[in-house]
Amino acid sequence: MSNPSVIEVASGARVVVGAADVVLFGQPPEIIKTLLQQKIRGFNALVLTDIREKGGALTNNLEFLLYYFLFLADGFKEGRKLAIAGDRAAISQALRLLRLTLTGPVAAELDAWGTDAELKNEWLQVANALALQDPGGAAIPVEDFFHVRPFDDDVVKLNEFTVRHTGQDRYDVSDSAGSVAIDLSADSHMVPPYELQRDYVPGGLVKLGLEVLGGASGFTPDEPCTGLALCHNGDYILIDAMPFLDEHLVARGIAKNQVAALFLTHLHDDHCTMFPLMLMPHVVEVITTREIFNMAMDKLACALGWAVEVVREHFSLFEVEPGVVANYYGLKILPHLTVHSIPTIGATFSRQHHGRDRQICIVGDNHSMTEINKLQQQGLVRKETVATLQRLYSDRFSLLVADGGAGAIHGDPEDALQSKSERVCYVHVEELANEFDTTFSLAVAGKRYTIIEGDPVLYNSQVGHYLAEWLDKRVSNRWLRSLLAESEIRRYNSDDVIVVQDTAHRDYVYLMLTGYCDVVQHDGRQLNSIARLQAGDLIGEMAAITGSGARNASVVARTPVTVCVFPEQNFSTFISAEGMAQRLHERWSLRLLLGELPCFTELTSTVLLRTSIIASAIDLDEGEQRHLGEEGWYLMLAGKVRDAAGNVHEYNTRQLTEFGWRPFLEPVATQLTALADSRFVFFEHDALEARLLEVPQLNYYVRKYRAAQQPVSWKLGVVPPL
């Protein structure tokens, strides 16, 4: 008998193989695709990790692992159960999350949300009919698929393995033959298990169009899951939140600042990994039904281990109702129900152009019409639901996007053979059968479907919006017209150098309208990355304001980028006329200092700017005294002070030194005496409270810092399965 062996399958995951046990430690997004690529065909136990989020992705993605165990590995047919080990509270949260994604809401939840009685019955009946059932015909609860194995005094016994929890994300795994150590603590960033197809050329903003982030299924090893981005008047509405969303947006050159909303169809993991949207520079509106929204907030709360009311702070619901047209800033949205294993919707998005409607219909995940008709004949699906779906497959749209994934709960490409649409494309399909090659196309990452072309007005409106955010005040129409009259739109390919380090001339200020840039600096030996910029950020603005000399860094387009270029003299005159030069210089200096504080180190440049706008610096000379009360939050930036109790405090790069009102903690009001020249940054109470609710990324990272320092009230404990 040989010692257990360890397979490093991916960042954030390890597989330990023994004579009878195959155990997966850590479950990063799309881990099932990595296991399929490496031909790791079986596992019988999962160990949940301590850290729930790394590098902007959640670490406990169990849904497709369970599907694989039950169906592809024949666990259900053979009557086997999957062991799940970890902290008792984390296990309970994982099982509740799986209940939401596998079987959907229960009657009591739908009643509490005020769901229409007929719709409630349809959802519950379909879920029961499509669920795995016991010999008596009753749906099997999620808990019955698992052997629950919580750690007891940091030890859990699986089959042959004994697992000891030796530290945060550290484990010792042993059997009669020997032992191995597992350490996931240093795995800080998880990456997609497939190669991303990057755009190199800017695509341009449109009045109505659709960009494909991915179009395959959750089990396609070498392709991303289905994700779409609808562009309307230059703003993007995501159609679902696919795994590794940030990476896919970067691949397409879509900055998070450009994303206004998310249309959420349902909760399955290949469509609903919403955590990256908690890290947005602004609150994202979630366009969906209240039932799906409530389920999504519960799912995200269980995945993160935070209270649902805290998770809700990061989002805003734009509620829609199936069959009722909603007007979203001039874009008409007509949602419809589909027939899926859990509550699911699709929608038709339309607007007028030259006197006629242009429409994009996203059917959403949907059973085949053959199976839906059978369910209707059994009295499980209402006639009006079936009639609506049949109409979608036969009406004329500018673009019809349908589910062609086949299988137990997905559609059949034949359903759209009678479609009158100008273009039909399918998602959840790796390859179309030959008979469909001349009829339909596949939604593949990188495809763009333009319905209504854009024009310069889209860019002009973005310029006004981003400048107002940057200044934190409205730009007068006369100045905006003056700036635009002397400006031009330029487009850069990926890897183009926009600003060159050490160039002596200063000529332009660049306002980014799309995409991402990297600020890099060469110190004579190596290239160092200084900052990441995105749409809404400015390049070269401080040179214009301060009149400084040569550029001290280069700016390189990381993705395709569109910028609005202002002559530097015109821009500096505008800033002087607005009386903002001194304040902008102070804000710039504070932004650099804030970025070094431990609760702000992960903030993007955009969010640091929005945070610095409401900050001010306070200097205390040696010997000076000052009372710091609950009027605001005081954070030490430099120096040494003594409080009223005689305690001495110094600036610490690893831990905040803070006084006064403290967000998410009890206040510490005191009289300070400066023992050396000292500096603080001050945030007024009401202004910071408002900014925390306006900027989800700021809210999240301040809370994350708190949770890492001491117990907090918003951490979830053991949750009931219902």
Side-chain angles (χ1 to χ4, degrees):
M1 182 180 290
S2 60
N3 288 346
S5 60
V6 180
I7 305 172
E8 187 170 341
V9 289
S11 178
R14 306 288 188 275
V15 170
V16 180
V17 180
D21 277 333
V22 179
V23 185
L24 175 62
F25 289 78
Q27 302 83 38
E30 300 204 272
I31 182 61
I32 190 62
K33 296 188 176 185
T34 302
L35 298 179
L36 291 171
Q37 289 170 2
Q38 300 189 19
K39 296 181 169 50
I40 299 173
R41 298 298 183 185
F43 48 85
N44 62 345
L46 307 173
V47 177
L48 303 178
T49 54
D50 302 311
I51 301 174
R52 299 289 191 91
E53 174 260 317
K54 291 185 177 182
L58 297 181
T59 59
N60 55 349
N61 301 272
L62 308 183
E63 182 186 332
F64 278 82
L65 292 170
L66 179 58
Y67 292 155
Y68 181 88
F69 175 81
L70 291 175
F71 305 122
L72 300 182
D74 294 329
F76 179 68
K77 183 173 68 175
E78 296 172 1
R80 293 184 287 117
K81 292 189 177 185
L82 183 62
I84 182 169
D87 173 78
R88 191 178 300 273
I91 292 175
S92 74
Q93 294 158 22
L95 294 179
R96 181 182 176 111
L97 184 158
L98 287 171
R99 190 268 299 173
L100 287 166
T101 60
L102 268 64
T103 61
V106 297
E109 288 171 315
L110 294 172
D111 287 338
W113 299 332
T115 304
D116 172 78
E118 291 186 357
L119 175 57
K120 179 187 81 170
N121 289 336
E122 179 173 296
W123 273 340
L124 294 175
Q125 290 172 163
V126 169
N128 185 73
L130 299 181
L132 293 176
Q133 298 178 346
D134 63 23
I140 301 174
V142 167
E143 293 77 13
D144 286 2
F145 298 131
F146 291 94
H147 290 302
V148 174
R149 299 287 187 262
F151 281 106
D152 186 8
D153 291 330
D154 286 328
V155 177
V156 65
K157 179 69 175 174
L158 297 175
N159 186 12
E160 60 174 328
F161 284 147
T162 298
V163 180
R164 286 180 171 81
H165 186 224
T166 58
Q168 190 175 62
D169 282 350
R170 294 185 177 93
Y171 309 89
D172 182 83
V173 187
S174 61
D175 62 11
S176 58
S179 66
V180 293
I182 300 296
D183 185 357
L184 296 173
S185 61
D187 292 14
S188 60
H189 187 69
M190 295 172 284
V191 297
Y194 39 74
E195 184 179 355
L196 290 175
Q197 300 299 320
R198 294 176 57 200
D199 282 353
Y200 282 90
V201 181
L205 300 177
V206 299
K207 293 182 179 179
L208 185 64
L210 195 71
E211 299 191 29
V212 180
L213 308 180
S217 76
F219 282 110
T220 309
D222 301 317
E223 296 289 338
C225 294
T226 295
L228 307 169
L230 187 148
C231 190
H232 176 242
N233 289 340
D235 287 330
Y236 282 93
I237 300 173
L238 299 177
I239 311 297
D240 290 334
M242 63 193 298
F244 291 109
L245 176 62
D246 285 352
E247 287 82 353
H248 290 289
L249 290 175
V250 169
R252 299 282 78 77
I254 302 172
K256 291 177 91 169
N257 241 355
Q258 297 175 252
V259 176
L262 164 73
F263 182 86
L264 183 60
T265 66
H266 67 298
L267 258 67
H268 286 154
D269 270 1
D270 53 335
H271 292 264
C272 182
T273 54
M274 291 178 62
F275 177 73
L277 300 178
M278 285 185 70
L279 305 183
M280 293 289 282
H282 54 266
V283 175
V284 169
E285 290 186 291
V286 182
I287 307 171
T288 191
T289 69
R290 62 178 174 273
E291 295 90 352
I292 294 174
F293 179 77
N294 285 327
M295 292 167 64
M297 295 298 100
D298 198 351
K299 176 185 177 180
L300 186 49
C302 288
L304 189 58
W306 286 13
V308 68
E309 59 269 18
V310 171
V311 171
R312 282 176 181 265
E313 288 180 1
H314 298 74
F315 299 93
S316 173
L317 171 63
F318 184 93
E319 185 178 349
V320 294
E321 182 181 343
V324 179
V325 175
N327 194 312
Y328 187 76
Y329 300 98
L331 180 69
K332 293 181 180 179
I333 304 175
L334 176 58
H336 59 260
L337 297 169
T338 73
V339 179
H340 204 40
S341 58
I342 58 175
T344 304
I345 60 172
T348 300
F349 302 85
S350 63
R351 59 166 289 174
Q352 279 214 334
H353 183 66
H354 292 167
R356 73 176 258 241
D357 281 341
R358 304 295 178 90
Q359 299 177 318
I360 298 175
C361 178
I362 312 290
V363 175
D365 281 21
N366 190 43
H367 220 336
S368 71
M369 289 307 301
T370 298
E371 296 302 319
I372 291 172
N373 283 321
K374 291 179 182 178
L375 292 171
Q376 191 263 315
Q377 291 165 11
Q378 297 169 28
L380 305 180
V381 176
R382 294 172 295 171
K383 290 181 179 179
E384 54 264 40
T385 300
V386 178
T388 297
L389 292 171
Q390 288 175 332
R391 177 183 59 79
L392 297 179
Y393 285 118
S394 60
D395 275 3
R396 180 181 178 84
F397 301 105
S398 303
L399 174 65
L400 174 68
V401 182
D403 177 4
I409 55 175
H410 288 284
D412 185 339
E414 288 190 4
D415 292 336
L417 281 175
Q418 304 306 314
S419 175
K420 302 181 184 68
S421 297
E422 296 171 20
R423 284 184 281 185
V424 177
C425 73
Y426 271 97
V427 295
H428 289 149
V429 186
E430 287 76 58
E431 185 177 359
L432 280 171
N434 290 337
E435 61 264 32
F436 301 125
D437 279 345
T438 58
T439 310
F440 309 131
S441 65
L442 294 183
V444 178
K447 281 191 175 182
R448 288 183 171 88
Y449 297 89
T450 298
I451 308 304
I452 306 175
E453 290 282 358
D455 57 36
V457 173
L458 296 181
Y459 295 106
N460 291 346
S461 64
Q462 281 190 312
V463 170
H465 169 69
Y466 286 142
L467 281 179
E469 281 204 333
W470 181 72
L471 287 170
D472 198 36
K473 60 181 287 188
R474 181 178 173 272
V475 181
S476 72
N477 286 332
R478 294 183 69 180
W479 259 117
L480 185 59
R481 289 198 301 270
S482 176
L483 287 171
L484 290 172
E486 297 296 326
S487 70
E488 62 176 302
I489 300 297
R490 294 184 188 174
R491 294 178 174 84
Y492 293 89
N493 301 312
S494 296
D495 303 325
D496 283 356
V497 179
I498 299 173
V499 171
V500 180
Q501 180 180 341
D502 297 329
T503 51
H505 64 280
R506 305 188 328 272
D507 42 13
Y508 296 113
V509 173
Y510 306 80
L511 173 60
M512 293 181 59
L513 302 180
T514 71
Y516 292 88
C517 287
D518 287 332
V519 182
V520 296
Q521 191 175 63
H522 203 287
D523 60 9
R525 292 174 300 174
Q526 61 182 3
L527 194 66
N528 302 302
S529 180
I530 299 174
R532 168 71 46 78
L533 305 178
Q534 65 168 305
D537 287 327
L538 280 98
I539 302 168
E541 78 282 14
M542 289 314 299
I545 293 169
T546 63
S548 60
R551 309 285 192 183
N552 63 1
S554 293
V555 179
V556 180
R558 184 175 184 228
T559 72
V561 169
T562 305
V563 300
C564 182
V565 180
F566 306 108
E568 185 178 288
Q569 183 175 1
N570 200 27
F571 188 83
S572 60
T573 302
F574 158 64
I575 294 300
S576 297
E578 293 289 305
M580 289 291 292
Q582 181 61 32
R583 178 61 185 133
L584 290 173
H585 190 274
E586 293 172 357
R587 186 189 300 169
W588 175 266
S589 300
L590 280 173
R591 180 168 62 173
L592 297 176
L593 294 171
L594 286 174
E596 297 177 357
L597 292 174
C599 63
F600 298 144
T601 54
E602 296 184 81
L603 297 183
T604 62
S605 176
T606 303
V607 174
L608 276 173
L609 170 65
R610 298 199 65 189
T611 306
S612 68
I613 285 173
I614 60 169
S616 58
I618 295 175
D619 292 309
L620 296 182
D621 296 330
E622 183 178 352
E624 186 177 351
Q625 293 186 333
R626 183 170 182 136
H627 180 76
L628 306 186
E630 296 183 31
E631 65 279 357
W633 192 23
Y634 297 85
L635 295 170
M636 199 169 190
L637 296 175
K640 185 176 181 181
V641 297
R642 182 175 59 242
D643 64 24
N647 301 309
V648 175
H649 307 270
E650 292 187 78
Y651 171 65
N652 188 329
T653 58
R654 295 182 301 276
Q655 184 172 346
L656 292 178
T657 304
E658 53 182 324
F659 303 96
W661 171 78
R662 301 182 299 169
F664 315 125
L665 278 183
E666 293 298 315
V668 176
T670 188
Q671 181 84 5
L672 290 186
T673 302
L675 302 180
D677 290 350
S678 302
R679 167 165 276 204
F680 290 83
V681 63
F682 171 72
F683 295 96
E684 192 272 329
H685 173 281
D686 290 347
L688 182 57
E689 275 206 327
R691 191 58 40 106
L692 287 167
L693 295 178
E694 294 164 356
V695 184
Q697 186 185 119
L698 177 64
N699 190 338
Y700 173 76
Y701 280 122
V702 173
R703 286 185 180 273
K704 179 182 177 180
Y705 174 79
R706 293 292 189 223
Q709 298 296 314
Q710 64 270 308
V712 293
S713 60
W714 62 84
K715 280 290 192 76
L716 280 182
V718 174
V719 297
L722 292 180

